[in-house]
Amino acid sequence: TVLLVLLGSRSKLTVPRFLMCHLAFSDLCMGVYLVVIATVDVLTRSQYYNHAIDWQTGLGCSAAGFFTVFASELSVFTLTSITLERWHTITHALQRNRRLGLRQACVVMAAGWIFSCVSAALPTVGVSSYSKVSICLPMDVESGLSQVYVVSLLLLNVLAFLCVCVCYLSIYLTVRNPSCAPAHADTRIARRMAVLIF
C-alpha cells in the first residue's frame, strides 16, 4: 500500500519519498517470504517431519531464503540511507546546495540493491546454505567461508544500527540547539523518520 501511495502520488518525487519506496519494496519482499513460510507451515501441519528434507533442500526454501536475506539487507541499507540523508539535511540546513539529489540517491540505492542481491545469492552458490534450518535462513557455519559470511552480515547490521543511533542523537542535539535550528519542515520530517526507524 505504501509503495502504491508513494508511486501513485502526483507530488514530486523527492529523495525521502524515493528512499521510502525502496523501504516499502523491501518490506513487500519480506512479506512474500513470510507468506511462503506460513503456507508451508499450514500445508505440513503435524507432519512436517515427513516433508522436512524435501522442503529444506528444494527450490522453495532457497527462494524463500533469498527473499528474506535480500529484504533484510535492503531494508537495513535503506533505513541507514534514510537516516544519513536526514542527518545531512538537518545538520547542513542552511546550505541547500549540499543536499543529496535524486541522482545521487539513485546511485546509493543501486549500490544497496547490488549488495543485497549478492548477499542473498551467496548461500545459493555454496557460501553458507539456506537448507540448514526449516525457516530457510543462512545458518550453515560449518566452513570458514560460511562463518565469515554470517558474521560479516551480522556485524554490518550492528554497524548500521549504531550509525542510525548516532545520527539520530546528532539530529536531536542539532534540533535542540536554537542557534543552528534547521527549517521547520526538515525538523518535522526528521521526527517522522525517527519514529519510522524506531
Side-chain angles (χ1 to χ4, degrees):
T1 302
V2 171
L3 199 55
L4 291 175
V5 168
L6 288 173
L7 293 176
S9 173
R10 294 175 194 250
S11 301
K12 180 183 171 194
L13 185 64
T14 61
V15 173
R17 280 179 177 263
F18 174 75
L19 295 174
M20 292 295 292
C21 287
H22 288 275
L23 183 59
F25 182 78
S26 66
D27 290 345
L28 178 66
C29 290
M30 183 59 76
V32 168
Y33 162 76
L34 292 172
V35 166
V36 168
I37 294 296
T39 302
V40 170
D41 181 49
V42 167
L43 294 176
T44 61
R45 182 151 306 216
S46 301
Q47 298 177 3
Y48 178 74
Y49 53 88
N50 290 331
H51 307 280
I53 293 174
D54 292 338
W55 164 246
Q56 287 178 228
T57 59
L59 186 60
C61 190
S62 292
F66 182 92
F67 267 108
T68 190
V69 172
F70 172 78
S72 297
E73 294 312 310
L74 185 61
S75 181
V76 168
F77 188 91
T78 307
L79 286 170
T80 306
S81 299
I82 288 170
T83 301
L84 288 170
E85 188 273 334
R86 286 291 87 198
W87 170 80
H88 187 267
T89 300
I90 297 292
T91 57
H92 298 93
L94 300 177
Q95 302 163 347
R96 297 231 180 245
N97 60 335
R98 291 190 60 185
R99 291 189 178 203
L100 184 69
L102 203 52
R103 180 172 289 156
Q104 292 94 354
C106 287
V107 170
V108 167
M109 288 314 301
W113 275 71
I114 291 167
F115 169 73
S116 301
C117 285
V118 169
S119 297
L122 285 175
T124 64
V125 295
V127 179
S128 193
S129 172
Y130 291 128
S131 63
K132 192 76 169 175
V133 293
S134 62
I135 55 173
C136 309
L137 296 176
M139 297 303 232
D140 181 9
V141 290
E142 291 177 8
S143 73
L145 189 58
S146 296
Q147 290 173 1
V148 168
Y149 167 76
V150 171
V151 170
S152 296
L153 282 184
L154 292 174
L155 285 177
L156 284 172
N157 289 339
V158 168
L159 287 174
F161 173 74
L162 292 175
C163 176
V164 167
C165 291
V166 168
C167 285
Y168 272 104
L169 179 62
S170 175
I171 289 171
Y172 174 76
L173 294 175
T174 300
V175 170
R176 296 279 300 175
N177 184 357
S179 66
C180 60
H184 180 67
D186 289 339
T187 304
R188 193 176 70 242
I189 291 172
R191 285 187 184 138
R192 287 181 183 171
M193 294 296 186
V195 169
L196 170 73
I197 289 171
F198 178 75

